[in-house]
Amino acid sequence: MALAVQKSVKAGLLSKLDTGREGRDFDLESVRWKHVTLKTCGGEEELICPMMVASTVSEVRQMIAESVGIDAGQLELFEKKGCKLHRLRNFEQIPSRVMVKGIANFGRKACDYPHPWVIVGGGKLGLRTALHWTKRGGDYVLFDRKLKVGGNAWNGIANKWSKLQSEGSHYQLDYDCYDGVDLLRPFNRYSFWPTRDEIIAHLHEVLTEYNMWPNMHMGVQVQDLEIQHEPRGTPESLKTYELKTVHVGNLFNKVQDLTDTAHDLFAGRQTNTFVASCVAFFPGALSGPHRRTFCGEEVFGGQIGYGFNDEFDYAKVKQQRGLVIGMGAFAVENVRTLMEHDAKKFFVIARHHNLLLPRMISWYVNQSRLPPPAAVILNAMEPMYALYGLDPWNFYSIQANAARTVASIKQYTRWGIGDVYFLGVAYGKVETIEGQVKRLKRRTAVLTTGRVLTDLDHMVKCLGFDSDFGIDRINKTRRQLGFWPDGDYRRWIASDQSAIDASRFGGTAIAPYAEIQSNWGTHFFEYPQDARTLLDSNVFIENWPKPEVGSAAYHYEPRAAAVVQVSYSASVPALKDFGALSDAFKKASMWCVSPPDRFLEECEKDWYHYCRKFKEFGDDREYPPYPYTLEWVFGLLQAEEEDFLDMTLKQRLLSKEEGVEHRRQIETKWAARLHDAKLKRREREESNIIVPQLAGGGMVVEDGPRPVSALGIGSAAGGGWMPEGAGREHEELQQCVEDRKYWEEAVPTLDPEQKQTFKDRHPEAHTVGEGVEVRTLSEAKSKIEGLSGHSAPQIAHTNAAFIPARMVLRMRQGHSGTNKALTDAWLKSAEQIRTNLMPDAQYF
């Protein structure tokens, strides 16, 4: 892998970049960049790193020290001149060959521990961390009190009709920027918005493929944790954690529970003791649902239940009316489920009218390299909110300037994502009312606003969630420092946020965040010196539990969580480099699995599917058109790239003349893309065929002059651009990963009256027939990496200038991840486990 990276970097270094200045072509190898060979004194190991010519000895020494985890003062750099070694002084420019004294090799030794590591929590974050440790060959055990994987969200909260609100491409367990797009499942194998059962089946598939089941101790409750400090005079790594566990079987499956509830139920029972060297807790944000009995429920006379799991019978709502109490993300999903079951009309009662996020805008946010500003998101919401007759800028959660160019959004629930809510409002089947239920009467609800709602048949309660205070109790946490309880960097506790408070939004999907959490926690377990340095610098604020608002110590408010994440990523070079790759991979992965034209098409299909359902029950109005078009989507993406160019110009990485030329090229490129998308759309409509995204194929990355490739080694902050001609090469690569002819012949035509998902409509298209040439992305990926390795006119002595060299050092240290190369023994064992577990994995 390191050799491939070096070749990729060299391909970029040897290319020429047209800077736009007449008569000047910079040869990056000889003028701006060079290869520096680092060799250890007395050793045989050599590394070839790309560095800028102006790099100084001091900068290179500091980079090496950070990479291997020692103090820079322990290193000395020499240049061999004849038969003598010349000691290099800090201010000198780095020569092409350097001898490094003070280390035996360029690897960084990870801390050794005598006992396994432990994960507590079998939800998305816990399983992603387990997968990360599996790839690294780690010795670990995962505990979860539920018998099935998926955590409380999918095994306690969701019902069988629940769907993921964000995109399926960013809710995949093996989403990994080091493995690339090859392992991501396309939408004909994993829906754009997968159901609960699809998600759990996907989790089972990955766990089986990687033979992770022997490490999964399901149906086990962690009752307590005791810290056993290392004996005096011995290494700190000998400190251990004794976890007291009890087997609970299937008692908590499909139940919304809290750790303290389970603890009290099994208090006094005999426990088992498991000794661990490091422990990671992932309790999740959806822990304990609020429950409340409203005055008059006993006389209401209709169905009353919570919108969790199977506590409410949705089959009874056909052509009936009711209430949904609450307007959080899960309340919005309940509204979609009610519309799916042909409800006549439901009133959504909430203290605040929260902002909802249309699907197309969620896609845009999750594919963006840089977090989009709130003002851009609000402007993008306007076409959908026109169905409401409301202006999203006027909602209670918005603070903005008069010109509407700067804004922030703060509301006490996470985004509710979806289009059906808006469509229900347009059809008069959903009505949002600000207020609260004062009391209930016979088929009637009296609100605090004085309004009386009659002829009601149902009430669905979605009242929000508290975090899990049992996690604080187990860890005896007084306050949280970063993700460390009481500053103990051998314990890692993290969850996602349950509210919104920001002026920029990095994403609504969980997979990128889960990947970050698994990498960060592992890094500090392996290199505790970095953790001690962070704690000594006092960069973290103290987060104390807030029982009055249901927030445990580990659960941060959104802005505080953002500060914590920035403190980690900005303070540790390895995390900073990983962040650059992770941010770039967001776009590459989204465009691979859910390119904009096809995602928009699926949004439209789902939109008109519900329009037809409403027509079946007597509403024969003309279908309202889907608010977003190809022109609108591609215009938003063009604006995103122009904003990135503006940032590059502000950093003075390009001249004004270069900026004008790049802006012209951006406009030309997106106009051509829009034209091509329209042609493809017309072809599909005329042939009545939907061409699926193939497994491992169809990755879309910007062509022409553009920021550094998502799969390259550059940093977005560097503002790099691909060499001229790369776009044409990329078009050829696209053709080698998709065989359209097969799909036109093999996939049946679309029934216009059945707008279901592709997977349901064409199950025979899950696999490609024999003899069809569909190449993997390995060749295409390597070529794209070669084209875009490092072609940016950057400024010397900046962090971005040393990213390529640091990446080579990271590859040397074995942090590149592992491909899915399983041995025959693994496969045999995994298949046996799958056979044993499948009967128990069925819901119905």
Side-chain angles (χ1 to χ4, degrees):
M1 187 67 181
L3 181 60
V5 172
Q6 293 175 15
K7 289 181 178 179
S8 171
V9 172
K10 188 172 182 179
L13 294 172
L14 295 176
S15 63
K16 289 187 176 182
L17 178 71
D18 183 358
T19 65
R21 299 187 180 97
E22 185 176 355
R24 296 184 66 188
D25 281 346
F26 285 89
D27 188 316
L28 299 182
E29 174 98 28
S30 60
V31 178
R32 297 294 304 279
W33 292 80
K34 65 179 179 181
H35 284 156
V36 176
T37 301
L38 304 175
K39 187 175 187 301
T40 57
C41 290
E44 298 297 326
E45 184 173 7
E46 288 187 356
L47 282 182
I48 300 175
C49 298
M51 298 184 194
M52 297 191 74
V53 171
S55 300
T56 65
V57 171
S58 176
E59 292 169 336
V60 174
R61 185 169 66 172
Q62 184 63 36
M63 179 196 68
I64 298 173
E66 290 175 347
S67 176
V68 300
I70 64 174
D71 187 86
Q74 298 177 239
L75 296 179
E76 291 183 294
L77 274 56
F78 296 86
E79 180 184 15
K80 190 172 183 180
K81 291 186 175 181
C83 59
K84 296 184 178 180
L85 291 179
H86 166 68
R87 189 192 307 271
L88 296 172
R89 292 175 289 183
N90 285 338
F91 60 85
E92 293 182 274
Q93 286 189 356
I94 197 73
S96 296
R97 294 191 64 85
V98 177
M99 304 290 291
V100 182
K101 182 180 179 181
I103 55 175
N105 55 59
F106 292 102
R108 184 178 186 184
K109 182 175 174 56
C111 184
D112 292 326
Y113 295 101
H115 301 287
W117 297 356
V118 164
I119 298 169
V120 180
K124 181 65 169 66
L125 268 64
L127 295 178
R128 181 61 183 82
T129 301
L131 177 61
H132 185 63
W133 292 357
T134 298
K135 290 180 177 182
R136 301 169 67 85
D139 182 14
Y140 73 92
V141 166
L142 183 146
F143 294 115
D144 193 294
R145 61 176 162 270
K146 295 186 182 297
L147 198 60
K148 302 179 187 296
V149 295
N152 203 39
W154 297 111
N155 273 317
I157 305 298
N159 56 58
K160 63 182 179 181
W161 294 285
S162 297
K163 290 186 177 182
L164 181 71
Q165 292 190 345
S166 58
E167 302 74 36
S169 54
H170 278 191
Y171 201 98
Q172 300 196 28
L173 189 57
D174 41 3
Y175 174 101
D176 193 321
C177 65
Y178 288 125
D179 287 337
V181 299
D182 295 348
L183 305 184
L184 297 178
R185 288 152 178 78
F187 76 79
N188 60 337
R189 288 185 55 203
Y190 190 63
S191 304
F192 278 112
W193 306 284
T195 64
R196 176 197 70 179
D197 294 338
E198 281 184 280
I199 290 172
I200 293 178
H202 162 64
L203 299 178
H204 272 261
E205 178 185 354
V206 176
L207 295 178
T208 302
E209 186 171 4
Y210 282 94
N211 194 32
M212 295 167 61
W213 290 109
N215 302 82
M216 315 293 289
H217 290 208
M218 309 303 293
V220 176
Q221 159 73 14
V222 175
Q223 290 285 83
D224 202 359
L225 179 149
E226 296 180 1
I227 302 175
Q228 302 296 329
H229 292 280
E230 70 279 11
R232 181 174 299 180
T234 62
E236 192 266 347
S237 61
L238 295 182
K239 182 174 70 172
T240 60
Y241 302 90
E242 293 185 356
L243 285 82
K244 308 297 182 181
T245 66
V246 60
H247 182 74
V248 298
N250 195 33
L251 183 62
F252 294 103
N253 214 47
K254 302 180 72 172
V255 175
Q256 308 89 45
D257 58 88
L258 290 169
T259 299
D260 277 341
T261 304
H263 174 270
D264 294 343
L265 188 61
F266 287 88
R269 299 283 186 92
Q270 183 176 357
T271 61
N272 300 314
T273 299
F274 189 91
V275 180
S277 289
C278 301
V279 187
F281 290 84
F282 298 103
L286 303 179
S287 297
H290 294 170
R291 294 184 180 272
R292 175 186 173 188
T293 300
F294 290 87
C295 178
E297 283 191 14
E298 68 279 2
V299 300
F300 178 67
Q303 179 184 196
I304 298 177
Y306 291 88
F308 310 129
N309 212 292
D310 299 326
E311 296 190 30
F312 187 88
D313 189 352
Y314 297 92
K316 295 180 179 180
V317 305
K318 187 174 183 178
Q319 289 301 291
Q320 294 188 349
R321 292 158 47 97
L323 305 175
V324 174
I325 311 298
M327 200 181 176
F330 214 78
V332 173
E333 177 58 20
N334 268 268
V335 169
R336 187 203 61 79
T337 304
L338 293 166
M339 297 299 102
E340 183 73 28
H341 285 77
D342 305 322
K344 183 176 182 179
K345 181 170 184 176
F346 266 72
F347 300 91
V348 178
I349 314 298
R351 288 175 295 176
H352 301 289
H353 194 155
N354 291 321
L355 274 175
L356 309 180
L357 201 63
R359 280 174 166 173
M360 203 66 232
I361 312 307
S362 174
W363 177 93
Y364 167 73
V365 171
N366 288 324
Q367 66 85 48
S368 297
R369 285 189 187 88
L370 301 178
V376 172
I377 294 174
L378 291 169
N379 287 330
M381 288 179 175
E382 289 179 352
M384 188 66 83
Y385 269 93
L387 296 171
Y388 252 92
L390 297 176
D391 184 352
W393 287 87
N394 293 332
F395 275 55
Y396 85 98
S397 55
I398 307 302
Q399 290 184 335
N401 62 352
R404 293 188 170 185
T405 57
V406 178
S408 65
I409 304 174
K410 180 178 182 179
Q411 62 187 35
Y412 301 102
T413 179
R414 63 177 68 188
W415 291 115
I417 304 170
D419 297 336
V420 177
Y421 194 103
F422 295 95
L423 188 63
V425 171
Y427 271 85
K429 299 175 74 65
V430 177
E431 182 180 345
T432 308
I433 302 175
E434 288 194 19
Q436 299 184 62
V437 174
K438 185 176 182 180
R439 63 179 179 274
L440 298 174
K441 298 181 179 180
R442 175 72 179 175
R443 304 282 179 165
T444 302
V446 180
L447 307 184
T448 54
T449 60
R451 185 173 175 180
V452 178
L453 304 176
T454 59
D455 298 325
L456 302 176
D457 305 292
H458 307 277
M459 185 168 76
V460 186
K461 294 188 278 190
C462 305
L463 306 177
F465 300 86
D466 285 339
S467 52
D468 194 343
F469 287 90
I471 300 300
D472 285 355
R473 180 195 55 76
I474 288 177
N475 286 278
K476 304 172 180 61
T477 306
R478 295 178 56 252
R479 86 277 196 250
Q480 191 89 354
L481 291 174
F483 296 112
W484 298 314
D486 294 315
D488 184 356
Y489 46 81
R490 299 263 295 279
R491 287 178 289 161
W492 184 268
I493 308 178
S495 74
D496 47 336
Q497 280 67 59
S498 56
I500 298 170
D501 185 4
S503 55
R504 283 184 174 269
F505 295 88
T508 64
I510 193 65
Y513 180 71
E515 183 188 29
I516 287 173
Q517 284 294 332
S518 62
N519 277 270
W520 286 8
T522 305
H523 177 87
F524 291 111
F525 288 169
E526 292 183 335
Y527 308 114
Q529 179 57 46
D530 287 350
R532 289 190 286 266
T533 301
L534 269 178
L535 290 171
D536 290 343
S537 63
N538 293 320
V539 297
F540 296 120
I541 59 174
E542 295 182 345
N543 197 57
W544 296 80
K546 305 177 186 64
E548 66 278 6
V549 294
S551 180
Y554 69 84
H555 190 74
Y556 283 93
E557 296 296 326
R559 285 191 181 270
V563 171
V564 167
Q565 293 177 46
V566 170
S567 299
Y568 276 113
S569 61
S571 303
V572 182
L575 304 189
K576 186 183 301 182
D577 295 343
F578 171 76
L581 290 177
S582 178
D583 290 343
F585 186 65
K586 284 173 55 182
K587 180 175 284 289
S589 57
M590 187 67 81
W591 279 68
C592 169
V593 182
S594 305
D597 51 341
R598 293 188 182 177
F599 187 81
L600 175 63
E601 189 173 275
E602 290 298 314
C603 290
E604 291 179 282
K605 286 162 52 183
D606 197 56
W607 180 270
Y608 293 117
H609 161 73
Y610 284 96
C611 287
R612 274 188 296 276
K613 286 184 69 70
F614 297 160
K615 184 177 181 179
E616 291 174 1
F617 291 95
D619 196 323
D620 56 357
R621 74 180 73 185
E622 183 178 352
Y623 296 163
Y626 190 65
Y628 299 108
T629 63
L630 281 172
E631 291 85 354
W632 187 94
V633 172
F634 279 78
L636 186 63
L637 293 168
Q638 177 180 331
E640 176 198 1
E641 191 161 337
E642 289 175 342
D643 289 342
F644 188 85
L645 175 60
D646 292 338
M647 182 177 298
T648 305
L649 291 170
K650 288 180 181 179
Q651 296 174 348
R652 299 183 179 180
L653 300 176
L654 295 173
S655 67
K656 291 183 179 180
E657 294 77 13
E658 291 171 328
V660 171
E661 176 61 19
H662 283 307
R663 196 176 303 277
R664 182 192 64 78
Q665 293 174 348
I666 289 172
E667 293 173 354
T668 302
K669 178 186 72 174
W670 283 103
R673 280 192 163 187
L674 177 60
H675 176 72
D676 291 343
K678 287 182 175 179
L679 289 179
K680 292 179 181 178
R681 177 69 174 269
R682 189 176 302 127
E683 290 176 5
R684 290 199 291 273
E685 290 175 348
E686 290 175 354
S687 60
N688 214 18
I689 290 173
I690 293 179
V691 182
Q693 188 76 12
L694 301 187
M699 179 179 136
V700 181
V701 182
E702 282 91 290
D703 48 0
R706 64 176 182 84
V708 173
S709 165
L711 294 177
I713 298 179
S715 166
W721 303 93
M722 280 187 70
E724 185 178 359
R728 293 190 297 274
E729 175 75 8
H730 176 68
E731 291 175 0
E732 297 174 2
L733 299 178
Q734 287 295 101
Q735 297 173 4
C736 84
V737 294
E738 181 170 315
D739 188 339
R740 179 184 174 90
K741 182 179 179 181
Y742 165 76
W743 295 103
E744 291 180 345
E745 294 176 351
V747 178
T749 56
L750 171 67
D751 180 356
E753 296 301 322
Q754 297 295 325
K755 295 287 188 179
Q756 301 175 10
T757 65
F758 182 88
K759 181 174 181 180
D760 292 337
R761 189 167 53 250
H762 302 306
E764 72 282 358
H766 291 187
T767 58
V768 179
E770 295 182 1
V772 179
E773 181 181 3
V774 182
R775 303 182 191 176
T776 66
L777 269 182
S778 56
E779 178 184 359
K781 178 180 172 183
S782 63
K783 288 185 178 180
I784 293 174
E785 288 177 337
L787 283 169
S788 59
H790 192 82
S791 53
Q794 299 190 10
I795 298 176
H797 316 301
T798 63
N799 176 69
F802 287 94
I803 286 180
R806 287 207 303 268
M807 283 305 303
V808 173
L809 287 165
R810 276 181 61 78
M811 294 300 181
R812 159 63 182 86
Q813 295 162 19
H815 286 266
S816 57
T818 306
N819 291 326
K820 289 189 173 182
L822 300 178
T823 64
D824 292 340
W826 267 34
L827 286 173
K828 182 177 180 180
S829 175
E831 287 301 324
Q832 184 60 48
I833 294 173
R834 182 201 296 269
T835 302
N836 295 340
L837 290 176
M838 281 309 293
D840 188 47
Q842 301 300 321
Y843 276 89
F844 47 81

